[in-house]
Amino acid sequence: MTTKPFRILLLEKVLPYPPATAGDAVYSRGMIEALAAHAAVTVLCADSGSVHQGNAKAEWHVTGPERIGRKGSVLSRWPLIAWKGAQRDYHDRLDKLLKRQWNAIVVDNIGTAHAMPKLLAYRRLNPSCALVHFSHEHEYNARSKKYGAYGMGWVERLATRWDLLKIKHAEDMLVRDTDLVTVLNTDDEKLYRDIAPAQSYLMQTPGYDGMIAAPRQIDASTPRRLLLLGGRRSAQKKQVLLDWLEAGHATLLEAGIETQILGDMPDGLRETLARDYPDLVVLGFVSDPAPFIAQARAGLIVDTLGGGFKLRLLSHVFNRLPIIGLEDAIEGLPIEAGQGYLAAKEHADLARLVLGAIDDFSRLNRIMNAAFDACDGKFSWDSRAIRLIAALGGKPVATPPQGWPAMQKSEGNMG
């Protein structure tokens, strides 16, 4: 007897392939591809400008691109992140997909919260269908901190406060009105339980399917060099970098410690760094970071804005780059500070921590190897897909469904 595949509809902001490279897109892509190996997966998303055709095991419906700009969101009931995707062609395609029978529908990211009124109506008619929210961070908490860190005029500050109120309303609805919420860390779950204590929560830290480096030994031949990995295109990530450089770079430079920055960034930021920090080595995007990692003693995690599990942590761990960072920015690793990574509370403390550790080879090698051993085998995307399907009462199939139609694209943006 053939097991009928579990049918899942995933609502995404955009096609989660480059140029969509932010952490939420990487997480969404990992979950989609893993779920498609065990269930009948259909994805609805806006065009991201990617040439990628999407995972072949899933059925893809790609509409026109998201809205651009910000002003139009002010009069919308939805926050900016959801208003961008609340387009007519997206909803026309959603209406057609909701004529099918689904075992589960995933609202991935608060950016697709605009679909909730239709999903709630669908569930009233199809009570066996579970609504699932993939949370990437506690949005209200994280965005409150982000907006508070940016320099703004009174008009922009008023607009962001209005947007925050809408974020809170949308996030509370997602947490209260779905049947399951996935979370990336225990701190977010605690905050959500204040909103919906009776909700079902499932811990789903990211998986990892990138390069795994061979063992290495850090010694005196390894340059006294630190790496800062990650793209810097968002205002948040630009600010995080600039805040750290202002607070800690001079201290490290005076001690003869070099800093290299790897990751995509806008030309304006690159020009700012060249002007204000001429001793920085700004490499920008590199297709293969392995040679640079092999010639560095540690990687820095300096985020003061944004929550959730940072995918960069796994890149550090599995590429065997010791982690030194701010303790509030390092969440979700199955090992404690001091054992698998070094952490400090503030920027100034972090700079002092680096000075004390940069030449302590036994310490750097110990945390590098301990982190790898603690994480090895525990970050499989496949295991996360199986756990989610089981939590929803389904049975993962060993052989993925075949014969989906090719990617279907909208003829344009009619919104």
Side-chain angles (χ1 to χ4, degrees), residues 159-325:
T160 57
R161 287 180 179 175
W162 174 231
D163 197 59
L164 272 175
L165 289 174
K166 294 192 286 184
I167 284 172
K168 179 168 177 52
H169 174 76
E171 185 166 41
D172 286 0
M173 174 182 61
L174 287 169
V175 175
R176 287 180 177 140
D177 294 345
T178 54
D179 301 297
L180 177 70
V181 176
T182 70
V183 294
L184 301 185
N185 58 67
T186 55
D187 288 343
D188 285 354
E189 182 177 337
K190 289 175 183 175
L191 292 171
Y192 286 142
R193 286 193 181 278
D194 290 339
I195 301 168
Q199 175 64 281
S200 296
Y201 299 94
L202 180 66
M203 184 64 64
Q204 288 279 75
T205 54
Y208 181 79
D209 56 5
M211 191 188 84
I212 298 178
R216 71 167 180 137
Q217 184 78 12
I218 299 169
D219 55 31
S221 68
T222 310
R224 297 180 87 236
R225 179 180 297 151
L226 300 169
L227 298 186
L228 277 160
L229 305 180
R232 303 286 168 181
R233 288 206 165 265
S234 72
Q236 167 197 331
K237 292 179 180 178
K238 293 178 199 174
Q239 193 66 49
V240 160
L241 175 60
L242 294 174
D243 287 348
W244 161 249
L245 292 174
E246 181 179 358
H249 180 64
T251 300
L252 302 186
L253 186 63
E254 186 177 348
I257 300 171
E258 179 189 347
T259 300
Q260 291 187 345
I261 300 180
L262 280 68
D264 185 36
M265 66 177 64
D267 291 339
L269 178 59
R270 186 185 285 270
E271 292 165 4
T272 297
L273 297 178
R275 182 191 68 226
D276 296 344
Y277 302 97
D279 297 294
L280 274 178
V281 179
V282 181
L283 299 171
F285 174 78
V286 296
S287 58
D288 181 11
F292 301 96
I293 291 172
Q295 292 297 307
R297 295 191 183 181
L300 291 179
I301 303 293
V302 298
D303 302 63
T304 52
L305 302 173
F309 186 109
K310 293 170 178 55
L311 289 160
R312 275 174 291 127
L313 294 174
L314 298 182
S315 295
H316 283 67
V317 169
F318 289 110
N319 282 278
R320 300 185 190 269
L321 183 65
I323 297 170
I324 306 178

Side-chain angles (χ1 to χ4, degrees), residues 9 20 35 47 88 110 172 183 244 256 279 321 346 390 414:
L9 172 63
L35 286 168
D47 193 353
R88 184 182 301 171
I110 195 174
D172 286 0
V183 294
W244 161 249
D279 297 294
L321 183 65
E346 306 288 347
M414 299 180 288

Side-chain angles (χ1 to χ4, degrees), residues 368-387:
M368 174 181 69
N369 293 327
F372 186 95
D373 291 343
C375 295
D376 190 22
K378 294 181 181 175
F379 287 91
S380 157
W381 283 116
D382 195 64
S383 67
R384 280 140 181 78
I386 291 172
R387 185 163 62 236

Side-chain angles (χ1 to χ4, degrees), residues 105-128:
I105 301 176
V106 175
V107 185
D108 187 358
N109 195 297
I110 195 174
T112 54
H114 57 83
M116 278 297 288
K118 290 182 177 180
L119 301 186
L120 293 173
Y122 178 88
R123 190 180 57 183
R124 284 193 291 271
L125 297 175
N126 302 272
S128 64

Side-chain angles (χ1 to χ4, degrees), residues 35-169:
L35 286 168
H38 298 283
V41 167
T42 299
V43 184
L44 173 61
C45 59
D47 193 353
S48 65
S50 177
V51 298
H52 199 285
Q53 293 299 299
N55 179 268
K57 296 175 183 175
E59 176 188 2
W60 294 83
H61 295 260
V62 183
T63 66
E66 291 186 305
R67 292 185 175 102
I68 58 174
R70 306 174 65 91
K71 293 180 181 179
S73 72
V74 174
L75 298 180
S76 169
R77 65 175 288 192
W78 302 111
L80 173 65
I81 189 174
W83 169 81
K84 288 182 175 182
Q87 301 269 51
R88 184 182 301 171
D89 57 345
Y90 192 103
H91 277 266
D92 286 347
R93 193 65 62 90
L94 176 60
D95 290 340
K96 293 176 182 177
L97 291 171
L98 290 181
K99 293 178 181 179
R100 302 185 190 176
Q101 293 297 310
W102 304 101
N103 297 111
I105 301 176
V106 175
V107 185
D108 187 358
N109 195 297
I110 195 174
T112 54
H114 57 83
M116 278 297 288
K118 290 182 177 180
L119 301 186
L120 293 173
Y122 178 88
R123 190 180 57 183
R124 284 193 291 271
L125 297 175
N126 302 272
S128 64
C129 176
L131 298 185
V132 183
H133 173 44
F134 282 1
S135 165
H136 293 259
E137 63 183 359
H138 190 285
E139 295 285 347
Y140 180 75
N141 183 56
R143 288 176 183 273
S144 295
K145 294 177 181 177
K146 292 175 191 177
Y147 291 160
Y150 303 152
M152 301 178 186
W154 71 268
V155 173
E156 190 176 7
R157 191 165 295 281
L158 185 64
T160 57
R161 287 180 179 175
W162 174 231
D163 197 59
L164 272 175
L165 289 174
K166 294 192 286 184
I167 284 172
K168 179 168 177 52
H169 174 76

